[in-house]
Amino acid sequence: MVEVKKSYCGLCHPRCGTLLHIENGRIVKVTGDPDHPVTRGVICERGRLMPDHVHHPQRLNHPLKRKGEKGQGQWQRLTWEQALDEVADKLSKLKTRYGAETLAFTHGTKRTYHWDCRRFFNLFGSPNTCGVNNICMCPSYATEYATYGGMIMPGRVEASCIVLMGANPVNSDPVGLYPELVRAKKRGAELIVIEPRRTKEAEMADLWLQIRPGTDVALLLGWIRLIIEEGLYDKEFVNKWTVGFEDLKAAAAGYPPEKVSEITGIPQALVVKAARMYAAAKPAIMPWGYGLDKQGINATQCARARAILRAITGNLEVPGGETLSIAGDIGKIIDWEALEMNESIPVSQRAKQLGSDLYPFFGFPGWEMNQEANKKLPAGYLAAPEAWHSNLAHAREVMNAMITGKPYPVTAAISLASNPLLSFPNTKRVFDALKSLELYVVMDYYLTPSAALADYVFPASSTVEQPELWLTRDFCMPCPQGIEPLYERRNSYDFYRGLGLRLGQEDNWPWETVEQVYDYCLAPIGLSFKAFCEQYGIFGKREFRRYETLGFGTPSGKVELRSSIFEKLNLPPLPVYQEPILTPVGSPELAREYPFILITGSRFKPMYHSEHRQIEKARKKHPDPVVTIHPSTAEKIGLAAGDWAVISTPLGKIRQKVEVSDTIREDMVDLQHGWWFPESDGKLPGLFRVFESNANILCPDDHDFCSKETGSWPHSALLCNIEKEN
């Protein structure tokens, strides 16, 4: 007898509605829920792998404690109570010896709740949570708060023109943005794609701008100049609701079309045509794209320039345009920022946040300024900036403190659904850092290369084994738990609450279960989580142009084309382009040895970053790591499809299998990221072959390569060489 239960996916960021087909306690199939009002029965191939993930024989199912030397694969099984007792005792002793700041944390990509982590760390007293936040959405998030007081994310696409930059939604957002683009094109919307590769979206586009990687901000400055010069901006909005327009005009003046073409490699006529097309369309949107946030030195200024273009063209808070306010009753729901308990960490501990001296905007100083501006607004209008999105220690500085003990010892770390050996750059330094820890605790689904170095490993429940709320500015959807957690798997709230109760935080964890937390969050709209699951969520009724009475969430109450927050932090208050260091233009001598432009991080389904390498169906589609080069490049250097190649940068070298395609520029190399081999030996020195094909080994994170505002390190626009493996 097959039972069908409502649940959700969550194997990437969206929480797509699913139906679990369960037979004898085992999920045998997953289908899309046709009644789900957001995802409407659609799931992608990754979502269909849920049964394989939940029931995989390599899943972690019990708490484990290391026996013997680190990384030797010897484990002792413990109960949850034993493991939590021992970890809490060690943390208490390390805190007494070194201070709370001795504990660090590495983020994953939203498989878990995150606010519970921040709550625990704030109460413990450590400011040192870090992760890949610096290169994935969060630079845009923090920057947009400083510009107009909130983060814009795409929803239903009703615009007349869409500008897609650094995004490949057919692979990264196949249930959300990609079908919206298809629908928009069918009704006649124009599509501009700015992308160095000829993606499926580029083939759909009215205009495809094949840009040189790392130069996007120069293009956007050129658009700003042309739009101002030709009077294509919204004069009434700019005059009433922005500050710094004349300064912006001066900052963009140095980017005429011919210079932009020279920098970006895009024909001058196409630069002009695209700018005019975007400016003329009413409304138009520029959805967020991951590719801009991982550019390194220009990442934050890309986000600034994009936000400014949205504003001066009059596309903010209009029907079909770019909305950042919360819709209707959604603003009454208690959100994640309220649960973080950021007020509980004292000023003295905030000052110890590693990296905030170098990148203050992305640490407590910048977050506090964004927070102060937000708190002047009525509750429920613009969401408060979440600390876990925009207030982080810098991973490089955390790793250095682990290794050197300076400026103070970092002796303990927690990684939760996070695999820092695959997610952080400069992998060998990350390895040295993790290996140096007195206490390393990992909670995950599988024994990853990072988990293999841990002292304690806790088994994490899958998304379908735990409940969740999918909360956005437009809607809130219940994500019902589909099955009881198998074996001894638990959710992250149980983990942090368990530690908190043992470390003197009991007054601040009043809810025994995460369902009770959701009861608390939903109480203002008169619902319990159980009742909420019996309906398909709520949609807020949107009002447009609320800024006309409430203003924007910035210090001035207006859109800050010239950012007062950046200025107070001694950062460039207006967008500026810098040539990345490791490019043919930035380092012409080095380019003789490393003649190709490297990009990494391109999405490929069903893999999601470093996940799903264990799953047979996923590996059947992608058995090996792949590097893509142009046919003329392959011919020139004697490579053919299927050859193994060695790819090198000044930081190191790796091997991947060659794919030949004319979808990329002749001067480019496109590396798949996140590769390790769960089928291999997990003990040192092999460590699941994490050093063999891992693209992050090639990526630098020294200060000179990073964005001065957010510390974003580069995974693209780097120099590399590629040659046949001997």
Side-chain angles (χ1 to χ4, degrees), residues 297 300 358-360 571-572 578 703-711:
I297 200 165
T300 314
L358 295 170
Y359 313 108
L571 296 168
Q578 299 176 75
H703 180 63
D704 288 345
F705 300 108
C706 294
S707 156
K708 301 303 181 284
E709 301 84 8
T710 59

Side-chain angles (χ1 to χ4, degrees), residues 654-702:
I654 63 169
R655 66 191 294 266
Q656 293 198 1
K657 200 175 221 180
V658 173
E659 181 177 277
V660 177
S661 172
D662 65 357
T663 58
I664 67 169
R665 294 165 48 121
E666 293 181 22
D667 58 354
M668 272 178 55
V669 170
D670 184 5
L671 272 183
Q672 287 184 350
H673 71 299
W675 272 97
W676 59 291
F677 302 91
E679 66 272 21
S680 301
D681 186 4
K683 298 191 293 292
L684 285 171
L687 212 63
F688 299 114
R689 292 159 56 197
V690 72
F691 302 110
E692 182 176 313
S693 301
N694 179 357
N696 286 359
I697 286 173
L698 309 182
C699 299
D701 65 349
D702 288 347

Side-chain angles (χ1 to χ4, degrees), residues 106 130-131 358-359 394-406 410 413 419-437 440 450 453 651-652 687 690-691 694-706 711-715:
T106 70
C130 69
L358 295 170
Y359 313 108
H394 194 273
R396 180 194 65 238
E397 299 303 298
V398 171
M399 298 300 145
N400 284 342
M402 290 177 182
I403 295 168
T404 67
K406 297 176 181 177
V410 173
N419 191 357
L421 282 171
L422 273 298
S423 59
F424 289 151
N426 204 336
T427 309
K428 291 174 183 175
R429 178 170 55 201
V430 177
F431 170 77
D432 290 340
L434 297 182
K435 205 161 179 295
S436 74
L437 291 169
Y440 185 35
S450 301
L453 297 176
L651 210 61
L687 212 63
V690 72
F691 302 110
N694 179 357
N696 286 359
I697 286 173
L698 309 182
C699 299
D701 65 349
D702 288 347
H703 180 63
D704 288 345
F705 300 108
C706 294
S712 305
W713 50 81
H715 287 275

